[in-house]
Amino acid sequence: CMPSSTGGNSTPSNNNPSNGQQSGAGGSTPLQDETVVVSCNSRSSDCLPALCAASEIITTVAANLGLTPEVTSCLEDEDNCTAATALVDFVNANSTSTAFARLAAQAICDGGEVDYVNKIMYYINKPCQKQIVKAVIAVSSDLTNLINNTFGVNEKANLKFWNGTLPNTDANASTNPFYEGNSGDYTIKIGFEDTYLDVATDMSIAAVTLHEVIHAYFISLYIEGNLVSDDNHYDNLLKAFIAFYSNPDQPTYESADLEIHNAMNLSLIHI
């Protein structure tokens, strides 16, 4: 999205649960998106009347999902025909995934995009930068496969990317340690600072995205009581996360957060 820069570093913030402050190195070109993402916020040539047949049954689907009249009306709008059809198809094929279907419906009406395969919602309103984040998730690697196998196949876990003004202006991005929902149906939110996205290189955005999804992965493990390891290389990371979540408030917040980042840096070489 921006000309590439040379040099790079990663500096944890002292007062944000996760900052992922990183700068890219070397040249880069926009990554190609391979993720299945569905959204249609304006009438286009591929939004054919036949495709909008979903409007005939969306009322029933919306009632079954317990959607509000406002969201139901939004999905019935022909401008959202592609997205509504994708939602209906998802519901028909995944009858038990009602929690994510509700979130997806809301995302559609909020102008977001939905990745039904990996159960991810994108609320990033900067197209180029959003494309990079989506492409990072779509890449097949040990790390991204681990992430997708956590959120994409877990009926309880959802992931949401957004951009805006973060509480800590020194942070490039942040993974909120306090999830939405409950332990049986939760959404972990990763936010990007607008001022960072406006100047960041493609490689920097990719690196920060990977940094933050690692946080999201560990948070998911903690929520489900699976943050355990038989490998002593991860002992410090495990202790740092438990210490943080036992009291994620000041005055221990900053030191615990810093310890998590230090432990992550030491542990990642063993993934």
Side-chain angles (χ1 to χ4, degrees):
C1 297
M2 294 293 295
S4 61
S5 62
T6 58
N9 58 71
S10 176
T11 306
S13 167
N14 289 332
N15 51 10
N16 198 305
S18 161
N19 61 71
Q21 294 190 56
Q22 305 181 31
S23 61
S28 63
T29 56
L31 302 174
Q32 297 300 312
D33 177 35
E34 299 178 358
T35 308
V36 179
V37 179
V38 182
S39 182
C40 179
N41 293 315
S42 62
R43 189 74 173 175
S44 60
S45 59
D46 63 344
C47 287
L48 302 174
L51 188 62
C52 295
S55 62
E56 300 175 4
I57 60 174
I58 195 62
T59 302
T60 300
V61 172
N64 291 339
L65 292 175
L67 302 182
T68 65
E70 292 77 14
V71 173
T72 301
S73 176
C74 161
L75 295 176
E76 292 173 338
D77 192 312
E78 66 176 12
D79 287 345
N80 288 322
C81 61
T82 299
T85 301
L87 176 63
V88 170
D89 289 344
F90 175 80
V91 171
N92 289 338
N94 302 271
S95 59
T96 61
S97 298
T98 55
F100 182 74
R102 294 188 196 99
L103 294 172
Q106 187 64 57
I108 292 169
C109 296
D110 288 342
E113 294 187 10
V114 182
D115 176 352
Y116 290 100
V117 174
N118 296 313
K119 297 182 67 179
I120 299 174
M121 293 158 288
Y122 293 92
Y123 281 75
I124 301 176
N125 60 14
K126 298 178 182 294
C128 176
Q129 293 86 335
K130 177 173 61 178
Q131 185 77 2
I132 295 170
V133 175
K134 289 159 55 180
V136 167
I137 299 299
V139 168
S140 178
S141 69
D142 290 344
L143 179 56
T144 55
N145 290 342
L146 183 68
I147 299 302
N148 290 333
N149 288 335
T150 296
F151 294 95
V153 301
N154 190 330
E155 291 292 337
K156 298 184 290 184
N158 311 302
L159 192 59
K160 174 181 176 180
F161 290 100
W162 64 279
N163 69 290
T165 301
L166 299 181
N168 175 16
T169 56
D170 293 330
N172 293 334
S174 173
T175 302
N176 194 325
F178 304 105
Y179 55 88
E180 291 181 347
N182 54 65
S183 60
D185 171 27
Y186 57 90
T187 299
I188 298 174
K189 299 175 293 181
I190 296 177
F192 291 88
E193 171 60 42
D194 271 341
T195 56
Y196 163 72
L197 289 180
D198 288 339
V199 299
T201 64
D202 296 1
M203 290 300 294
S204 177
I205 295 173
V208 168
T209 299
L210 289 173
H211 179 97
E212 297 304 327
V213 295
I214 292 170
H215 278 285
Y217 171 67
F218 286 129
I219 291 172
S220 176
L221 290 180
Y222 181 89
I223 293 171
E224 300 193 23
N226 294 324
L227 191 59
V228 296
S229 175
D230 294 328
D231 189 335
N232 58 14
H233 288 116
Y234 299 97
D235 284 347
N236 290 338
L237 181 59
L238 176 62
K239 293 175 182 176
F241 260 83
I242 291 176
F244 178 85
Y245 272 96
S246 64
N247 185 22
D249 298 306
Q250 299 291 0
T252 61
Y253 179 96
E254 294 181 6
S255 60
D257 179 56
L258 181 59
E259 183 60 28
I260 286 176
H261 281 86
N262 291 336
M264 281 179 65
N265 291 334
L266 293 174
S267 299
L268 286 180
I269 60 174
H270 299 289
I271 291 181

